[in-house]
Amino acid sequence: SAEVHRPDGKVLPIYSIKNLTGHSIAPYKIHAGKSIPSCNTGGSARMKCGELWAIETFGSAGGIGYVVNSGPSSHFMRGSLDPPRNFQLNALSSNAKTMLELIDKRFGTLAFCPRWVLQEATRSKTKFSKVSTGRGSGGSWWEDSLHELCNMGIVTPYPPLSDLPGCHTAQYEHTILLRGSGKEVLTRGSDY
């Protein structure tokens, strides 16, 4: 077990965060379905030659090593670029459809935050009706559109995660490619 000695003399234990994992990566799919935990969970997933992996470790100093959702979503992502089903598409407002086109064109399946959507809308001169539809969260025109896309299961919201209040958490990551001759670390730099 590791610990941190703070300048004020307090000693905090460091725990591995048990409910966050690394993951396999596929073309245009950052979370490709297989997970690799940083502690023993009894899983049986196997890493295979030719696979790309995000090896992630998560630590908590002063917490319990378990995170929960803690507040409104700050990031969003499309799970795939499959078009929405007809019932989903028919239920969307014109603003939500326009936002979906912008998201698909600019971000694809990569994570994004609302600020980036607004910046891209301004840059590309995308035309949205600036009137709230009243069908979403009751916020601005873009909040309602994003809320619609999330409610229909087209976009996935990702809220902030936290351990106990006042604790400190950290994440480290390397991307590796498994080859027949061994692993190749693709993200190694002079700082890590």
Side-chain angles (χ1 to χ4, degrees), residues 54-145:
I55 304 299
E56 299 182 73
T57 57
F58 301 87
S60 175
I64 59 172
Y66 192 87
V67 295
V68 295
N69 296 347
S70 63
S73 296
S74 56
H75 289 77
F76 301 82
M77 191 164 48
R78 290 263 283 137
S80 76
L81 289 178
D82 293 339
R85 296 188 172 116
N86 282 336
F87 78 89
Q88 292 170 311
L89 208 51
N90 292 336
L92 294 176
S93 68
S94 62
N95 270 355
K97 290 176 186 175
T98 302
M99 180 174 281
L100 179 59
E101 289 174 22
L102 183 144
I103 290 167
D104 284 350
K105 183 177 178 182
R106 174 63 179 89
F107 305 107
T109 58
L110 297 176
F112 61 89
C113 65
R115 182 182 75 240
W116 297 346
V117 171
L118 295 175
Q119 289 170 348
E120 181 61 19
T122 301
R123 188 197 64 74
S124 65
K125 298 179 175 48
T126 302
K127 300 293 184 205
F128 286 100
S129 165
K130 303 290 189 208
V131 177
S132 175
T133 64
R135 295 165 61 172
S137 61
S140 68
W141 60 272
W142 64 267
E143 286 175 306
D144 283 349
S145 299

Side-chain angles (χ1 to χ4, degrees), residues 2 4 12-21 38-39 56-67 161-164 167-173 192:
V4 172
L12 302 175
I14 298 175
Y15 296 105
S16 176
I17 297 176
K18 295 163 194 64
N19 61 328
L20 294 177
T21 67
S38 55
C39 57
E56 299 182 73
T57 57
F58 301 87
S60 175
I64 59 172
Y66 192 87
V67 295
L161 302 172
S162 65
D163 199 328
L164 295 178
C167 77
H168 302 277
T169 59
Q171 181 252 0
Y172 295 91
E173 179 175 345
Y192 175 57

Side-chain angles (χ1 to χ4, degrees), residues 145-165:
S145 299
L146 192 52
H147 190 75
E148 280 183 64
L149 293 170
C150 292
N151 281 345
M152 293 304 294
I154 298 167
V155 169
T156 303
Y158 289 92
L161 302 172
S162 65
D163 199 328
L164 295 178

Side-chain angles (χ1 to χ4, degrees), residues 30-46:
I30 193 70
H31 298 109
K34 291 168 70 175
S35 298
I36 182 167
S38 55
C39 57
N40 187 357
T41 61
S44 61
R46 305 286 294 179

